[in-house]
Amino acid sequence: MTHILVATDAWHPQVNGVVRTLTAMAEAATGLDVEVSFLTPQSFRTFAMPSYPDLRLALPLPGKVAQLIEAARPDSIHIATEGPIGLLVRRYCRKRGLPFTTSFHTRFPEYVSARSPIPESWVWWALRAFHRSSRAVMAATPALAAELRLRGFRNVVLWSRGVDTSLFHPRSADLCLPMPVYLSVGRVAVEKNLEAFLDLDLPGTKLVVGDGPARMALERKYPNAVFLGARHGEELAEIYAAADIFVFPSKTDTFGLVLLEALASGLPVAAFPVNGPRDVIGSVPVGVLNEDLRAACLEALQISRKECVEFAAAHTWQASARVFVHHALNLGPLQPEGELAEFVAEDPHFAA
């Protein structure tokens, strides 16, 4: 069985798109006769990230990193994050002349500038340097891939995402809240732009699921909204199914797994017309993208829930895992099929 080692600074108990993507992809890869193992913060001491205490960064030692990699004896190494673990694994590979791949999950320049006076251009320079030696920089959408190329990143390829339709699907559920219920799911932090949603004058209920550093302040500022905190598994799936519209106010997400989870549950999407929701939904009538988020929410009430479910069904983790494995093993130009063909049509550099 082929073995791919993934180095990541984001790992359980964190709840975010990176962790969920890596976990779901690894599970799906077993069906391809590929074992994906992880080098994570669980092997090291950690400390709370400044301004983000619920996220913990590892304090890895170069010798321990080398020991873990050599014990794993992988056929390929993939670096998923640009944190302390990612940096040391990158150094290990470069020092020994080992090829590796990377992926671009998080728009750190925007996140950093929202919390500090550090110019975005400085962060982009650091990210380019980090990914420069990667034989394949995996991006989730054609728009993100195109942006990375314009910003000077090399060897950019596409790696889309999937959704677990066995968990997220329509079902009978009742939140016992005034309807319609407008739902937002994700990390409750400044970069998610939740105030753009919570400021809206909408009938029914505004419901927020998730936790993060901005939650307490937002609960005080918006007492009429309902904050449930983090929810997982069946409980989260039932909340999706019981809501009426999924509202995605973020303007910085590179993909937004929650979009596919909502659509698989039968929820139309209301969002701004920005990369992320625009890439996931495109021109398919399963959501409304509008600079007027209130108008998008109200218009989305007219969308067929059945069409949302059918759209999400075409996005599987099995297809996502096939693409990841192909790029991680450097198998050359990718010949897409089925749902992957649409990306080739949108991006002529798909196999670049």
Side-chain angles (χ1 to χ4, degrees):
M1 179 178 282
T2 303
H3 180 198
I4 299 172
L5 177 66
V6 175
T8 176
D9 293 272
W11 199 240
H12 306 287
Q14 294 179 30
V15 180
N16 57 43
V18 178
V19 175
R20 287 155 61 206
T21 292
L22 295 176
T23 303
M25 178 278 298
E27 183 177 348
T30 59
L32 305 173
D33 200 31
V34 174
E35 177 191 1
V36 177
S37 65
F38 295 95
L39 198 166
T40 77
Q42 292 178 339
S43 297
F44 310 99
R45 292 176 55 195
T46 62
F47 67 97
M49 184 174 175
S51 82
Y52 222 137
D54 56 334
L55 296 184
R56 300 191 65 83
L57 292 179
L59 293 168
L61 298 173
K64 181 67 176 295
V65 168
Q67 178 185 357
L68 291 171
I69 295 174
E70 289 159 10
R73 302 181 63 186
D75 298 294
S76 178
I77 295 175
H78 177 78
I79 304 173
T81 56
E82 301 94 342
I85 291 175
L87 284 165
L88 283 185
V89 172
R90 178 184 182 276
R91 189 175 88 167
Y92 174 93
C93 291
R94 283 177 53 80
K95 187 174 181 179
R96 291 159 177 77
L98 298 176
F100 61 91
T101 58
T102 58
S103 46
F104 190 98
H105 292 274
T106 305
R107 302 185 69 92
F108 282 118
E110 289 88 340
Y111 288 12
V112 171
S113 67
R115 293 176 165 82
S116 73
I118 299 175
E120 289 186 19
S121 61
W122 293 9
V123 186
W124 279 115
W125 178 88
L127 290 172
R128 275 194 302 273
F130 181 92
H131 291 276
R132 187 171 295 129
S133 300
S134 173
R135 65 182 180 183
V137 182
M138 303 187 201
T141 68
L144 178 61
E147 180 186 354
L148 293 178
R149 294 188 190 104
L150 286 174
R151 291 185 179 277
F153 288 70
R154 299 180 298 198
N155 304 323
V156 181
V157 298
L158 279 165
W159 169 35
S160 189
R161 307 293 187 257
V163 62
D164 181 1
T165 54
S166 67
L167 175 61
F168 299 104
H169 56 80
R171 64 187 78 189
S172 179
D174 188 356
L175 294 170
C176 299
L177 294 171
M179 299 177 65
V181 174
Y182 300 90
L183 171 67
S184 183
V185 176
R187 196 165 58 250
V188 183
V190 61
E191 68 271 9
K192 296 301 183 179
N193 198 30
L194 279 169
E195 292 196 50
F197 164 46
L198 296 170
D199 280 334
L200 298 179
D201 179 14
L202 292 168
T205 304
K206 284 175 276 192
L207 177 62
V208 176
V209 172
D211 211 342
R215 180 183 169 188
M216 290 182 63
L218 291 178
E219 283 191 275
R220 288 193 298 267
K221 186 174 180 180
Y222 299 97
N224 293 327
V226 178
F227 292 79
L228 292 183
R231 295 291 187 271
H232 311 285
E234 287 290 335
E235 188 177 13
L236 175 59
E238 288 181 4
I239 293 171
Y240 273 121
D244 297 287
I245 298 296
F246 187 74
V247 186
F248 190 77
S250 174
K251 293 185 176 182
T252 60
D253 277 58
T254 57
F255 190 88
L257 286 179
V258 289
L259 293 170
L260 288 180
E261 292 172 357
L263 291 166
S265 304
L267 284 190
V269 170
F272 290 110
V274 295
N275 293 344
R278 188 159 49 200
D279 287 318
V280 174
I281 296 172
S283 59
V284 182
V286 294
V288 180
L289 308 183
N290 194 325
E291 289 292 351
D292 184 339
L293 191 58
R294 180 178 185 274
C297 290
L298 296 176
E299 187 179 341
L301 289 169
Q302 308 305 315
I303 291 176
S304 164
R305 295 175 72 102
K306 182 173 180 289
E307 288 193 25
C308 297
V309 174
E310 291 174 350
F311 174 85
H315 295 75
T316 67
W317 279 117
Q318 288 72 24
S320 176
R322 282 199 304 274
V323 175
F324 174 84
V325 169
H326 188 101
H327 291 321
L329 297 180
N330 197 27
L331 298 179
L334 183 62
Q335 298 300 320
E337 54 187 49
E339 71 204 64
L340 302 177
E342 64 189 78
F343 290 110
V344 176
E346 294 182 52
D347 186 350
H349 299 92
F350 183 75

